Amino acid sequence: MLLKDLLEEFILELEIQNYSPKTIKTYKSKNLNFFNYLESRFKIVKVEDVKAIQIKTYIVGLKKSQRKPSYINSIIKTFQAFFKYGVEQQYIKSNPMSEVKLLKQNTAIINVFSEDEVSRMLKTFKGNRFLEIRDKAILCTLIDTGVRCTELLNLKIADVKDNYIKIKNPKNRKDRMVSFSPYTKKAIIKYLRCRESFFINKDLKEDYLFLSYRANKLTVEAIERIVKTAGKKAGVNEQIRCSPHTCRHYYAVYSLRHGLDLYSLAVTLGHSDVSITTKYLRGIKEQEILEMSIKTSPLSDLRK
């Protein structure tokens, strides 16, 4: 069977399984790049002709081009899923990926904003114009709830409750509720009032919470620009990437520092597996862990 024909069937299966469009696009593009390599280098176009040696050669090429182990591992995982499907559907008898291992990755230290930096970022929005009020509400929501950028973009007005937001159809296809503080509630209320008066003469076709100046749904790039601009104005440490995902990191690390257990954090972040959430523990410094452990000592409440 042709590799590209099997990929087409595999992509349809991902759509049936309700994978996100972004994930499906990743699986498709990374596998297609590999197929083009196989055809140009080895004249291979059929799935049954692919061997482990060709896959390993491709990976070696990626390493020589200075690709990070994390990036290469993401590609290996797409290959694993593709060839596993081929075996399950009996298009191939053996899986060539069984001989291919993931690369060893260095443990990355998660650098997040300091509390002072977050305070300064929020203070960069001082005016009473629509964009300034909207952008502050966006930053508050990102930092106070830890939502993903795409989840923020898909929030509807009806999803905002008294002290929490309801996130529908997120990455792991499960709805969840995430609370927010009175500070964020105030920012959102102020934004909604401004939004209503700003678009008073416009027939809004969308009920998304956050809209562009022209009443359109915002883009990922727009949200990234808002966070980056706030970070630059606030003088955030240059080693920290000012992005929506860093806001999510900050939320996670801050929650752990202040006593939220790992399981509850995993539920709040929408992780399907607690092991995914453990990476945020690396954002807590040894001294902080020491101070936290003193407070939770089994004998701390005993009288002398």
Side-chain angles (χ1 to χ4, degrees), residues 65-82:
S65 63
Q66 304 298 312
R67 291 290 189 175
K68 293 182 179 180
S70 58
Y71 175 79
I72 297 176
N73 282 341
S74 70
I75 291 178
I76 292 175
K77 289 175 182 178
T78 64
F79 295 170
Q80 288 174 336
F82 173 76

Side-chain angles (χ1 to χ4, degrees), residues 7-8 37 74 82-83 103 107 119 121-122 127 138 152 154 170 186 188 195 206 238 249 251 257:
L7 179 61
E8 184 177 352
Y37 166 81
S74 70
F82 173 76
F83 286 104
L103 276 60
T107 302
S119 178
M121 287 171 69
L122 291 172
I138 286 174
L152 179 91
N154 289 321
K186 178 182 176 182
I188 291 177
R195 179 185 189 273
E206 302 286 0
E238 293 182 356
H249 288 331
Y251 169 85
R257 283 173 179 162

Side-chain angles (χ1 to χ4, degrees), residues 147-161:
V147 294
R148 301 178 179 94
C149 186
T150 52
E151 293 170 347
L152 179 91
L153 293 174
N154 289 321
L155 280 176
K156 302 289 184 72
I157 292 179
D159 297 329
V160 181
K161 309 302 180 181

Side-chain angles (χ1 to χ4, degrees), residues 8 17 33 77 116 118 126 162 225 231 279 289 301:
E8 184 177 352
Q17 295 299 323
N33 288 338
K77 289 175 182 178
D116 183 58
V118 168
K126 299 178 180 178
D162 184 52
R225 189 163 52 249
K279 67 181 180 180
I289 293 175
D301 293 331

Side-chain angles (χ1 to χ4, degrees), residues 72-130:
I72 297 176
N73 282 341
S74 70
I75 291 178
I76 292 175
K77 289 175 182 178
T78 64
F79 295 170
Q80 288 174 336
F82 173 76
F83 286 104
K84 180 182 178 182
Y85 178 80
V87 172
E88 291 174 346
Q89 300 302 312
Q90 300 183 356
Y91 291 121
I92 49 178
K93 293 182 179 180
S94 60
N95 189 339
M97 291 301 297
S98 62
E99 300 179 35
V100 181
K101 308 300 180 183
L102 292 172
L103 276 60
K104 183 179 179 179
Q105 293 181 217
N106 294 326
T107 302
I109 301 297
I110 296 178
N111 294 317
V112 298
F113 307 121
S114 67
E115 293 182 34
D116 183 58
E117 286 173 331
V118 168
S119 178
R120 296 203 309 267
M121 287 171 69
L122 291 172
K123 289 177 181 178
T124 61
F125 305 103
K126 299 178 180 178
N128 288 312
R129 295 183 302 173
F130 170 76

Side-chain angles (χ1 to χ4, degrees), residues 194-207:
C194 180
R195 179 185 189 273
E196 183 178 2
S197 60
F198 189 77
F199 296 120
I200 193 168
N201 295 321
K202 292 187 178 181
D203 181 21
L204 298 181
K205 297 179 181 180
E206 302 286 0
D207 60 345

